[in-house]
Amino acid sequence: MNGIRRLVLQNVRPRTLCAHYSARAAPQRPKQTRLSAQSNLGPSAMSAHQVFAPLTKGCPVFKISQPITVLREPQQFYKQLIHGIKHAQRHICLSSLYIGSEETELVAELKNALARNTKLQVRVLLDCLRGTRTDSAGMSSAALLAPLVQQFGEERVQVFMYHTPALSGLSKQAWPQRYNETFGLQHIKAYIFDDDVIISGANLSRDYFTNRQDRYMRISDSQFSDYFVRLVSTIGQFSFRVLNGDQATGYKLEMADGVADPTRDPREFVREANELMAQFLRRAEIEHAVEAGSISEHDTLAIPTVQMRQLGITQDESHMREFFELVHAFARNYKSRSLMASAYFNFSDQYKRSVLDSASRWDLLVASPQANGFYTAQGISQYIPDMYSIIEHEFAHMARARNDISIEEYMRDGWTFHGKGVWSYLNQPLPQLTMIGSPNYGYRSIYRDLEAQVTVVPGNTQLQKDIHQEALGLLAHSKIVSQDELKQRTRGSPLWLRGLKPFVMKKM
């Protein structure tokens, strides 16, 4: 049970990296910067399932027997959402940061599905701060969904709004909309239709359905689906519920009876939420544990992990640390490479250090300034892409002694980039592992937001090919950037912008 206790301790210090993890010990290899240029990098006596076996400890593990579908484009993602809503027979469960106030078609499909099937139940989990933020017409996610609760009742429609305990009392009143979201958010993206689960980093708004590139994977398995439904329901127990009410907003928010309000008693709220999540994770680990000898290299494994550090839950943080250590240990004996993507070059210090100290080759994929969601923003937000370029240049400078770390920027005319995840090839031409979900691998993904991702270890060549093609599709719209190019780009940046770096790194 030590693994479970680790999850519920709020101030655990991460274990120190061993001395042999230093950057000086990392092997120097000729730089290869394109996954498509890779062939087998050498033999290994171990299969990927053996290499990554420690990742199955302390987490639920699901053996997926049905084919996994890797979606490539936003339009495919939207079509799958609509298809799932139309064909769900038992339940629909949507977890997102928010639903765009313009998504009347999506909500209409939910309404039609509920009207057609009186046994259908719908659960929606959103962030309270983002989900109640109003647009120019005064509309919000909460106002968009409240009529469903009114028409079909709480027995069939539940809309949960998670609120961070880090914003309470006078601070909550002082911070305006949008800026208050820097304190912490519900960021988990999972879309469940009966036994089908779409894991993604995409939200439910128009740009994510048209020209904002993300990642999307559909996994069909009843136990895996049940895990995410229970995860959403557990978070819903310590979230506000959207009810029909206030005439001005079109809704009202209420906490469940007996649950502390995070805006009034954040300390008690954290204690209660921590207890509920620890119970959920403990049960999931016990029910879906696997014996070491029961996994074959033909099994496709799905390992979900969650991160909620404000609530004392550090499962994904521990999982990622283990992953980096396993890749490093493998790369000390065999050539190895991995790709890590994020919407923003704002990787946490520990993840940057893990890459720099790794014996493996790493490619980092992020949005170019033009593909950054803040590129067309107004006010001070318009400088955020420049800030990420400054952080990117500093990392390139740190990695200058390594010739096997590259930075690539996604640049596609008229598109923005929101993809995130990991593809680990070890020493093979096809991916041996991928991670997909909501984390951007930055400071706030670890310390502020509710996050979930799924580690998939493929058990067949077709799935490996599909995951590989997904990576190549992203890289096809990407360009390698050098330290000199980043230096030129950031030259002349105002000093006040560099002074904002600590805020951006921890808040954005």
Side-chain angles (χ1 to χ4, degrees):
M1 302 300 289
N2 289 338
I4 294 298
R5 280 200 297 272
R6 184 185 67 232
L7 298 177
V8 300
L9 295 175
Q10 298 192 49
N11 295 304
V12 177
R13 294 175 62 86
R15 58 181 182 272
T16 304
L17 296 178
C18 298
H20 64 254
Y21 280 39
S22 67
R24 292 188 299 274
Q28 299 295 306
R29 292 188 285 276
K31 189 167 186 176
Q32 294 174 303
T33 55
R34 279 297 186 185
L35 298 178
S36 55
Q38 295 301 303
S39 58
N40 193 299
L41 298 179
S44 167
M46 300 177 68
S47 70
H49 288 69
Q50 292 172 312
V51 172
F52 295 122
L55 296 180
T56 66
K57 307 303 179 185
C59 298
V61 181
F62 299 87
K63 295 182 180 180
I64 308 299
S65 59
Q66 297 296 316
I68 291 176
T69 303
V70 180
L71 307 174
R72 300 273 297 277
E73 297 288 340
Q75 296 85 351
Q76 292 177 303
F77 171 53
Y78 186 68
K79 287 180 180 179
Q80 286 293 319
L81 290 174
I82 298 300
H83 180 274
I85 292 172
K86 287 183 175 180
H87 291 85
Q89 296 298 310
R90 303 188 309 277
H91 57 248
I92 296 170
C93 188
L94 309 176
S95 175
S96 184
L97 175 61
Y98 68 101
I99 296 179
S101 57
E102 74 284 355
E103 293 308 318
T104 54
E105 179 184 3
L106 189 73
V107 175
E109 291 292 351
L110 288 172
K111 179 181 177 180
N112 293 337
L114 286 161
R116 283 193 308 267
N117 181 358
T118 58
K119 295 182 179 180
L120 183 66
Q121 292 190 324
V122 173
R123 296 183 183 91
V124 181
L125 171 64
L126 306 174
D127 180 74
C128 189
L129 298 174
R130 182 63 180 87
T132 57
R133 189 212 294 181
T134 54
D135 61 15
S136 58
M139 182 57 72
S140 66
S141 302
L144 194 66
L145 294 168
L148 294 180
V149 181
Q150 180 186 29
Q151 182 173 351
F152 298 100
E154 287 185 76
E155 297 78 15
R156 297 187 60 201
V157 180
Q158 296 175 312
V159 180
F160 305 120
M161 293 272 178
Y162 170 83
H163 193 292
T164 175
L167 187 64
S168 61
L170 294 177
S171 294
K172 179 173 174 58
Q173 299 176 35
W175 285 85
Q177 287 189 352
R178 191 182 186 92
Y179 297 98
N180 57 10
E181 296 164 24
T182 61
F183 285 84
L185 297 167
Q186 191 304 110
H187 202 242
I188 297 170
K189 321 294 173 58
Y191 308 108
I192 304 106
F193 311 97
D194 293 340
D195 295 341
D196 292 341
V197 182
I198 300 176
I199 297 297
S200 181
N203 293 303
L204 299 176
S205 67
R206 188 52 38 186
D207 52 345
Y208 290 94
F209 304 150
T210 52
N211 62 346
R212 187 155 172 76
Q213 182 67 59
D214 214 298
R215 298 182 66 204
Y216 335 87
M217 184 178 287
R218 189 185 71 193
I219 301 175
S220 299
D221 182 271
S222 60
Q223 292 186 333
F224 185 74
S225 168
D226 181 64
Y227 168 89
F228 274 96
V229 171
R230 285 165 47 192
L231 172 61
V232 169
S233 297
T234 300
I235 298 172
Q237 291 182 56
F238 51 85
S239 297
F240 287 101
R241 296 171 299 161
V242 174
L243 304 175
N244 209 58
D246 189 280
Q247 290 185 349
T249 61
Y251 65 90
K252 63 179 179 180
L253 300 176
E254 286 187 1
M255 288 294 292
D257 292 339
V259 179
D261 185 330
T263 68
R264 297 179 179 178
D265 191 353
R267 185 181 296 273
E268 178 60 19
F269 171 83
V270 168
R271 189 193 68 78
E272 294 175 1
N274 176 280
E275 184 175 325
L276 288 167
M277 281 303 307
Q279 290 174 356
F280 165 77
L281 293 172
R282 187 179 294 112
R283 177 182 171 184
E285 178 187 347
I286 293 171
E287 290 182 351
H288 303 289
V290 294
E291 298 294 333
S294 68
I295 297 176
S296 84
E297 63 185 37
H298 302 294
D299 290 324
T300 292
L301 307 180
I303 309 167
T305 50
V306 298
Q307 181 74 11
M308 304 175 176
R309 205 173 229 277
Q310 288 186 344
L311 307 181
I313 303 299
T314 60
Q315 184 186 48
D316 188 65
E317 182 181 349
S318 299
H319 186 78
M320 289 295 293
R321 184 164 56 243
E322 185 80 55
F323 165 74
F324 278 116
E325 292 177 359
L326 293 172
V327 169
H328 170 75
F330 181 88
R332 293 178 68 206
N333 298 298
Y334 310 98
K335 291 184 178 181
S336 175
R337 74 190 191 281
S338 294
L339 167 68
M340 190 175 191
S342 176
Y344 316 102
F345 199 101
N346 196 19
F347 298 104
S348 70
D349 287 343
Q350 53 262 58
Y351 292 164
K352 286 189 288 189
R353 180 47 53 191
S354 293
V355 169
L356 290 169
D357 290 355
S358 178
S360 177
R361 167 195 156 190
W362 281 90
D363 297 290
L364 303 179
L365 174 63
V366 297
S368 67
Q370 294 81 1
N372 189 295
F374 292 98
Y375 187 67
T376 59
Q378 301 297 314
I380 196 171
S381 296
Q382 66 184 298
Y383 294 101
I384 290 177
D386 296 331
M387 175 58 67
Y388 287 132
S389 292
I390 291 172
I391 298 170
E392 196 173 334
H393 174 248
E394 290 179 353
F395 177 83
H397 181 73
M398 293 168 64
R400 66 192 183 281
R402 294 284 300 268
N403 60 2
D404 55 358
I405 295 177
S406 68
I407 301 173
E408 308 212 18
E409 291 184 344
Y410 185 93
M411 184 180 295
R412 187 177 180 183
D413 190 32
W415 285 61
T416 58
F417 182 70
H418 198 250
K420 67 273 293 182
V422 172
W423 296 256
S424 185
Y425 287 74
L426 296 180
N427 63 338
Q428 299 301 313
L430 296 175
Q432 305 298 297
L433 170 150
T434 191
M435 295 180 179
I436 181 171
S438 65
N440 278 300
Y441 306 119
Y443 179 94
R444 66 174 302 152
S445 292
I446 298 175
Y447 291 95
R448 296 189 183 278
D449 297 341
L450 305 193
E451 306 278 14
Q453 68 174 345
V454 178
T455 298
V456 176
V457 183
N460 61 80
T461 303
Q462 185 57 56
L463 180 56
Q464 291 175 330
K465 288 181 178 178
D466 290 345
I467 295 170
H468 181 57
Q469 289 301 316
E470 176 197 31
L472 293 184
L474 298 176
L475 291 173
H477 297 286
S478 304
K479 169 179 174 274
I480 298 169
V481 291
S482 66
Q483 181 184 352
D484 288 343
E485 182 178 346
L486 291 168
K487 181 179 180 180
Q488 182 65 31
R489 184 192 299 172
T490 58
R491 180 173 293 167
S493 298
L495 290 177
W496 65 263
L497 184 59
R498 294 177 182 274
L500 285 177
K501 189 183 75 168
F503 176 85
V504 171
M505 292 184 70
K506 292 188 176 183
K507 296 286 191 178
M508 305 305 292

